[in-house]
Amino acid sequence: MEKVLIGKGTEKVYLLANKANQHGMIAGATGTGKTVTLKVLAEQFSRMGVPCILSDVKGDLINISQPGVENENVKSRVETIDMEDFSVEGFPTQVWDVYGEKGMPLRVTISEMGPTFLGRIMELNDTQVAVLNAAFRVADENGLLLIDTKDLRSLLNELLENKEDYSKLYGSIAPQTVHAILRKLVYLEDLGGTNFFGETSIEMEDMIKTDSNGRGMVNILAASKLINNPVLYSMFLLYLLSELFETLPEVGNPEKPKLVFFFDEAHLLFESCPKSLQEKIEQLVRLIRSKGVGVYFITQNPLDIPSDIAGQLGNRIIHGLRAFTPKDQKAINGIAETFRANPNLDTKEAIVSLGTGEALVSVLDESGAPTMAERVLICPPRSTFDPLNESQWNGLVESSPLYGKYKEAVDPESAYEILERNIALRQREKELEEKEKLLEKENKKSRGRKNSQQDLLGKSMNSFLGTMSRAIGREIARNVLGSLKRR
Ligand SMILES: Nc1ncnc2c1ncn2[C@@H]1O[C@H](COP(=O)(O)OP(=O)(O)O)[C@@H](O)[C@H]1O
Ligand SMILES: [Mg+2]
């Protein structure tokens, strides 16, 4: 059976591959070794053929692509842990960035992201979200593709222009609510929405890959800029997770995971997170297990993770924590109590005395029960500690076979173009009507002109139908948060 060597306590300690989808956490104060631990896990998953997604907040993960050097620190760990097959190695790495600056552009369409995520990112209130939902229904039912922010703007303007008609169908649409959403749309564009909403949008299959040697792809989401907006950061990661949920088939409990998702700075996800969203995250994390996806939260304080979610994290690696204040001490007592007691170890004392690259570890054993807490020296990484320079970084991004596919934004016909044309059509219709009236006054027939008007409307209908099938596909694939809401 395949397993990931975490390090050595009294014995070697392994994360069992068939328990890796039961999630986990890596916690500890700054500088205690969280990032290296994350790499050690991701490297071994890659060697097993399991792709990973890592969010990279500090820009210190991308060097997983380059082999390390066996310095004294590494050598002594290899010896102490008694690692038989250690060798330095760089791993297949793809870098993504929603801003398209430090990685391949990671784009999403407005339609795909759906009203729930968008509402949260735009910080809409309930009334506004209700109107946004109505707008999405109008788009779905009329085959209007919402790709970028200008599509959404056109659609909202369409609602405004014809509010009486739409209110009859979708419930009251107050103009001031639409105006408020339009203002928040400007805010969204200022956040970078003009870049990350668009085509070609990310296909999760492009992340779930192995290289020619069968090693799992390490996907890095370069998030050093994204992190400046914590809501955007957490919603994007959550969106990716929900897309994985939609993409992957049910597999129950696989021998090894299909993909492992590492969520750095996880406390941001839960900070000021409304209870309703927290429940959805809890649900998503629970349900994604049977898709073979393991989710690992990385955070400074394990107590940042709400207990409903922490309770689902079977594999725990807790690095050193600081006990400066009585409050810290109380937290540490709480954390120590969550571990299965080990008669040979004072967990409370251990948590505050762990060295760098050392951790308290409890994983799920073969029967699915948590092992006793052990004090573990963590393996050294196979990849380098050295940061990449700019040209290495750019080289890595541009050498990806997917670079050509995602590099440039494409702007296919969508709501904006269709609605603009409809406005032009309506305008022309009006003009024609007026001319007709004039002509009638002069007591003449106007059949010829009417025909040309019908021609134009016919053309517009065709383009509606042309985009329809695609729009329906999108609607079915609408994110899990949307669909969870309906359950
Ligand atoms: N398992 C390890 N093997 C070797 N060195 C380690 C290990 N863990 C931590 N270190 C050393 O400690 C430094 C800080 O670790 P890091 O993972 O960046 O801390 P954190 O992410 O918790 O802030 C690393 O740059 C490395 O030099
Ligand atoms: Mg770190």
Side-chain angles (χ1 to χ4, degrees), residues 316-438:
R316 289 185 297 152
I317 303 178
I318 312 288
H319 288 274
L321 299 171
R322 312 260 182 266
F324 294 136
T325 65
K327 199 173 153 224
D328 291 342
Q329 189 55 54
K330 205 167 153 233
I332 286 164
N333 294 347
I335 294 156
E337 274 159 26
T338 62
F339 280 109
R340 206 180 119 198
N342 179 341
N344 303 316
L345 183 73
D346 179 348
T347 355
K348 280 180 213 166
E349 193 274 327
I351 289 180
V352 291
S353 63
L354 291 163
T356 305
E358 211 187 356
L360 274 191
V361 177
S362 167
V363 293
L364 295 179
D365 68 15
E366 210 25 75
S367 74
T371 58
M372 276 190 298
E374 272 231 61
R375 186 173 182 146
V376 172
L377 182 71
I378 307 288
C379 294
R382 292 167 185 261
S383 57
T384 183
F385 291 106
D386 297 334
L388 299 198
N389 65 35
E390 210 179 306
S391 77
Q392 281 175 308
W393 189 305
N394 293 339
L396 184 67
V397 173
E398 285 160 24
S399 66
S400 166
L402 295 174
Y403 186 63
K405 171 173 175 184
Y406 288 107
K407 190 174 110 185
E408 302 294 345
V410 288
D411 190 5
E413 177 169 280
S414 52
Y416 169 78
E417 288 79 9
I418 294 173
L419 291 172
E420 286 292 301
R421 207 165 46 228
N422 275 14
I423 292 169
L425 267 174
R426 265 186 232 137
Q427 187 65 35
R428 183 154 164 73
E429 220 173 292
K430 240 195 204 158
E431 282 169 19
L432 279 167
E433 262 169 35
E434 272 160 22
K435 272 192 194 153
E436 233 170 273
K437 275 183 200 152
L438 268 177

Side-chain angles (χ1 to χ4, degrees), residues 37 39 73 78 95 144 209 225 227 249 314 402 427 448:
T37 299
K39 280 185 188 164
N73 173 13
V78 170
V95 198
L144 292 171
K209 286 197 325 187
K225 183 169 171 187
I227 197 80
L402 295 174
Q427 187 65 35

Side-chain angles (χ1 to χ4, degrees), residues 29-36 73 77 356-357 378-381 385:
T30 305
T32 53
K34 296 183 297 298
T35 298
V36 177
N73 173 13
R77 276 179 198 256
T356 305
I378 307 288
C379 294
F385 291 106

